[in-house]
Amino acid sequence: MDDLIADFVAECREMLESLGGEIVAWEAQPEDRSRLDSIFRFVHTVKGNCGFFEFPRLEALSHAAEDALADVRAGRRQADGALVSAVLAVIDRIGEMVEVIAAGESLPEGDDAKLIQGLAPGADGSVAVPAAAVVGEVKNASVAPRTIRLSVELLDRVMSGVSDMVLARNELARRLRDNAADVAVDGAFERLSGIIAEMRDAITRTRMQRIENLFVSLPRMVRDLSAELGKQVLVDVEGGDVELDREMIEMIRDPLTHIVRNAVDHGIEGPAERLKAGKREIGFLSVSARQSGNQILIDICDDGRGIDGKRLVEKAVAAGLIEAADAVRLSPAQQFELMFEAGLSTAAQVTNISGRGVGMDVVRSNIERIGGVVEVDSRLGVGSRMTLRVPLTLTIIPALTVSIGSQHFAIPRSAIEEIVRANGDSVTLSQLGGAGVATIRGRRVPEVALADILELPSSLSDEQRTLVVLRPGGGDVFALAVDKVHDHEELVVKPAAPAVMATGLYAGTTLADDGSPILLFDPAGLARVGGVKLEGQERVGRALETAPVTSERVSVPVLLFRTLDGARRAVRLATVDRIEDVSAAAVQWAAGQLRVQLGEAILPLGGCDARPAHGEKLRMFRLSDGCTEMGLAFKEVIDMAEIVGEIVPAEVPGEVAGVTLIGGEPAELVDVHWLFARHCGTAGQGKREAVCRLPTDDAWMQNMLRPIVEAAGYRVVGTDSEEPADLVIAAEGSADPAGEKVPTIRLRSDPEAPTNDGSIYRYDRAGLMTALKAVGGGVR
Amino acid sequence: MNQLLLVVTIGGQQVALPASAVESVVELDTLIPVPRAPAHVAGLSALRSRVLTVIDCMRALELGATDVSDGIHEAAVVELDGHHYALLVDSVEDVVEARSEPAPLRAAMGRGWEAVSLGLVETGATPLLLIDVAALIEGVEARAA
């Protein structure tokens, strides 16, 4: 009997889930016979089973709904809004009861008379006009696929068995490599290997569910919500066939629901307000999923009022989350980030729909817990877009392996922001009251040594270590000093024993390629055990980062020299590789310009117009822009110096960029960029990479755009780099980089802006690639 | 059919583990320490692509510590709540049949033994203390805390 009830519950749940979308569709098209039929089928099934199981309440409800729907089917009655709502209410009640039954409890006494009454026709005065009889066969196109129900536990067991098999195969492969086996064994192993890979794919897929399971409930939810709020919302759900790990689906259910509710409640305006704003009175909400590499991207876009960054800032200041002084320096993206702070809601009034204490902070921490990311983009008055990026599965985690002494550990890659050397130029380490602080490019982050957290001996000093900058869920960063960084690996992670988990440091264990166990860290746990406070400080840290750089002039080291014709000039030291003495014989006219032979390389030569007299020695600087080299002839080096004064730019571009005072006397500053452009630009340097300049201080560009630009074949330099760039990418509204006559791509953060200003929306990847290629093609 | 017992030596003393709980007896060579874990967790080891959490029985019973720095160690592999553990013992002696149900031992035992004892079982030769594997894995410190 229990088994029968369990089957009944499972069947009901399945039907209920698939019905959610059907009912809304039925409401939009009451004459749609097939929808009506499937709803009818559901209540009919429930009714039939209830009689058998003796659930009188359930039976009465389903019976009433069946009667009403039978009338519609027979054409005696027409489906109207009132009926749809009443049927929905009944179905909801049935769902609730099914859950009670599933829990093994007996159904409580209750009164469903109101619900049943609601089904009666004519309560709202609607006249039952017989609809034109729907003629024609209802084609049952879809034949139910043959399926069986399996317990998830069993699937998990098979999954872990297959994971073990993969690891065992890896070990076998290693053994085979070590002792050169004969070809037959290798062949057999290859076959086994292939079969295992295939099995792993298949079993991974069994754990996958179509994200549709998550999406089917959305139209219904939006419908109910918008009805309650007196709004009209059109939902568009796309990409339901994207597949995602079953557990993942459960993990993103709540965050997704919350975001959608928010969008309907706060995002989309009421009809009157929309008309006033010149929009259609029906709001538009689109939820779409797509796969990108080993990530799933879920976009939730609405065309509502957008997120008011300024209001967020005001609220944050009022709530004491940030200082007013810091607030003014926040970029729009940072303003949106405030949305994820605990205890901040932009809703003018708290409704019962959202703003019930579950905030965006919970959404973000939920998503980050599964290694995902939430992104926000919004334009005031036009709409907003939330993007959830989540990994495909929970069990395979991309990780970075690091070591202390001889022991290896793994860190989930999703938490890693960057990796810097502790002795690098941009990093300073200091001890303040016993606490470590790392200043990385002007940003102060707490620093802890992994060896100290783990209480492991390490022979390295702080300066010899490598800093892994981590951003555990919640958004605050800290730097973890490790002895050595090894490799990126995809690790099959398993939970560790409770005694190990109790340390709070680890997220699980995994096996390295050589079969030895590796512990995977929980970055938040590391911070906690390391005594790093994660709240509050990073926001200020981030604000400081974007604060205007101190106006202190940076001194530029130069080499002061005298040219062949006696002029006093300076060349930036950074561009000079070394000084060479060459014989006159090595200098030749070739292909239209003077060239000098140095060993096996032939470099263009600047700084002189004619070959030196026979037998004379020529001194030259060997200049380099990182990949191309050229020579610059000179008479003598005067001194090393620094440019501290102002540079008076030359009127026309040429060999000299400008004049400055060095050591109290004027000196002409060599324009290395011009030299390279003149002497190397046309020389057809096949291997020369195009150079792209990105703003050093723009985190988005450095983190998101840079890989794309590099993938397009550019070498990326920063704003402070001296190197001539072939392309400059700048954010919308930033000042033109002075003195650069190179193509510039401007990026805007708003997808809708007019395109005639030549800017590209920053997520318009296709547009971006085209622009990158266009410029890149011109250079080569 | 009487319960089968695995006779092992821990800290020089012969005790019995329920053989049904023991999956296999293995020899461990390398151990990966787990920093900051409770002292009785000697480390991790791998067995056929499975991670074993190695429990130092000496420490779990507060009898001192096993020297795990080198050499090969015998261990009994058990599964508890889906996790696999290797119980480090001095040596594995034999499998015998229990001749009685475990009976409470009324004599005063050491604190560590007291916590993990399921009672005394008669075997053919000498009576043996039957060990509660779960309590052993939990360790003495964890219980004290």
Side-chain angles (χ1 to χ4, degrees), chain A residues 730-751:
Chain A
E732 187 183 29
S734 67
D736 267 312
E740 294 214 66
K741 297 277 179 286
V742 290
T744 301
I745 297 181
R746 292 199 160 268
L747 296 181
R748 61 190 147 81
S749 50
D750 176 4

Side-chain angles (χ1 to χ4, degrees), chain A residues 164 407 453 496-498 503 506 511 515, chain B residues 32-33 35-38 46 49 53 83 85:
Chain A
D164 282 353
Q407 190 171 357
I453 296 182
T503 58
Y506 309 108
L511 288 175
Chain B
I32 305 290
R36 298 196 70 134
S49 80
T53 306
H83 298 286
Y85 298 89

Side-chain angles (χ1 to χ4, degrees), chain A residues 136-150:
Chain A
E137 279 171 52
V138 178
K139 279 182 212 142
N140 206 349
S142 62
V143 179
R146 283 152 51 85
T147 58
I148 53 165
R149 284 207 188 90
L150 285 177

Side-chain angles (χ1 to χ4, degrees), chain A residues 337-615:
Chain A
E337 284 283 309
L338 288 171
M339 179 159 73
F340 297 112
E341 294 297 330
L344 203 67
S345 168
T346 47
Q349 74 261 18
V350 174
T351 63
N352 72 337
I353 309 297
S354 46
R356 42 175 77 156
V358 187
M360 291 303 289
D361 54 324
V362 179
V363 168
R364 179 157 84 172
S365 64
N366 279 350
I367 293 294
E368 284 178 352
R369 194 174 306 143
I370 52 175
V373 179
V374 188
E375 288 161 9
V376 198
D377 204 357
S378 176
R379 193 169 165 212
L380 200 57
V382 178
S384 38
R385 174 217 300 268
M386 293 262 182
T387 306
L388 306 181
R389 282 170 184 273
V390 292
L392 267 179
T393 68
L394 283 172
T395 45
I396 298 176
I397 296 183
L400 177 78
T401 47
V402 301
S403 65
I404 292 291
S406 60
Q407 190 171 357
H408 284 54
F409 297 94
I411 303 173
R413 214 186 300 169
S414 61
I416 298 176
E417 198 172 72
E418 64 172 328
I419 298 167
V420 291
R421 300 203 67 82
N423 59 2
D425 295 339
S426 52
V427 180
T428 42
L429 293 178
S430 43
Q431 293 283 326
L432 301 174
V437 174
T439 311
I440 303 169
R441 290 189 307 276
R443 174 164 79 161
R444 287 208 174 84
V445 296
E447 180 255 354
V448 279
L450 185 54
D452 295 346
I453 296 182
L454 301 179
E455 295 165 351
L456 283 180
S458 162
S459 53
L460 294 183
S461 71
D462 279 356
E463 281 70 26
Q464 289 170 305
R465 295 206 173 110
T466 303
L467 296 179
V468 180
V469 181
L470 293 173
R471 183 188 289 279
D476 293 341
V477 301
F478 72 100
L480 185 72
V482 302
D483 284 7
K484 212 167 160 207
V485 169
H486 295 274
D487 210 354
H488 284 295
E489 284 180 68
E490 306 255 314
L491 299 174
V492 180
V493 177
K494 299 187 176 179
V500 175
M501 295 304 260
T503 58
L505 282 170
Y506 309 108
T509 59
T510 183
L511 288 175
D513 269 352
D514 65 354
S516 62
I518 292 184
L519 286 154
L520 178 79
F521 285 124
D522 169 10
L526 282 176
R528 203 164 42 240
V529 176
V532 176
K533 294 179 200 68
L534 284 181
E535 277 100 16
Q537 58 201 16
E538 169 58 13
R539 195 169 29 256
V540 179
R542 263 184 254 175
L544 283 177
E545 184 191 353
T546 55
V549 185
T550 43
S551 56
E552 179 192 337
R553 184 174 292 275
V554 185
S555 64
V556 182
V558 291
L559 205 54
L560 204 58
F561 68 99
R562 209 170 289 285
T563 62
L564 293 183
D565 44 9
R568 190 171 186 265
R569 285 191 180 160
V571 62
R572 289 177 201 246
L573 194 58
T575 58
V576 179
D577 257 9
R578 54 175 177 267
I579 294 170
E580 305 259 9
D581 287 332
V582 292
S583 66
V587 179
Q588 299 286 341
W589 275 100
Q593 67 176 92
L594 269 183
R595 290 173 197 269
V596 56
Q597 184 188 350
L598 289 169
E600 306 224 319
I602 299 177
L603 307 180
L605 181 64
C608 58
D609 307 325
R611 288 184 59 190
H614 187 74

Side-chain angles (χ1 to χ4, degrees), chain A residues 306-315 330-332 334-336 338 346 378 380:
Chain A
I307 300 164
D308 189 342
K310 292 205 179 64
R311 285 272 320 278
L312 272 173
V313 171
E314 281 166 26
K315 285 230 164 196
L330 294 179
S331 70
Q334 287 169 332
Q335 291 176 355
F336 294 150
L338 288 171
T346 47
S378 176
L380 200 57

Side-chain angles (χ1 to χ4, degrees), chain A residues 169-232:
Chain A
R169 177 201 63 187
N170 292 350
E171 194 181 331
L172 184 59
R174 200 169 45 251
R175 295 270 157 90
L176 285 178
R177 268 202 309 276
D178 290 351
N179 330 308
D182 68 77
V183 182
V185 174
D186 277 349
F189 174 74
E190 280 308 314
R191 218 177 100 219
L192 177 70
S193 193
I195 294 168
I196 290 176
E198 215 166 275
M199 248 189 92
R200 183 183 178 173
D201 277 1
I203 198 67
T204 310
R205 228 174 302 142
T206 61
R207 281 175 55 99
M208 300 297 236
Q209 261 185 352
R210 283 149 67 92
I211 205 166
E212 203 166 23
N213 290 322
L214 189 57
F215 283 179
V216 280
S217 61
L218 293 179
R220 170 75 199 276
M221 189 183 83
V222 171
R223 175 201 176 274
D224 288 357
L225 256 182
S226 48
E228 196 175 324
L229 293 164
K231 296 177 182 179
Q232 286 169 295

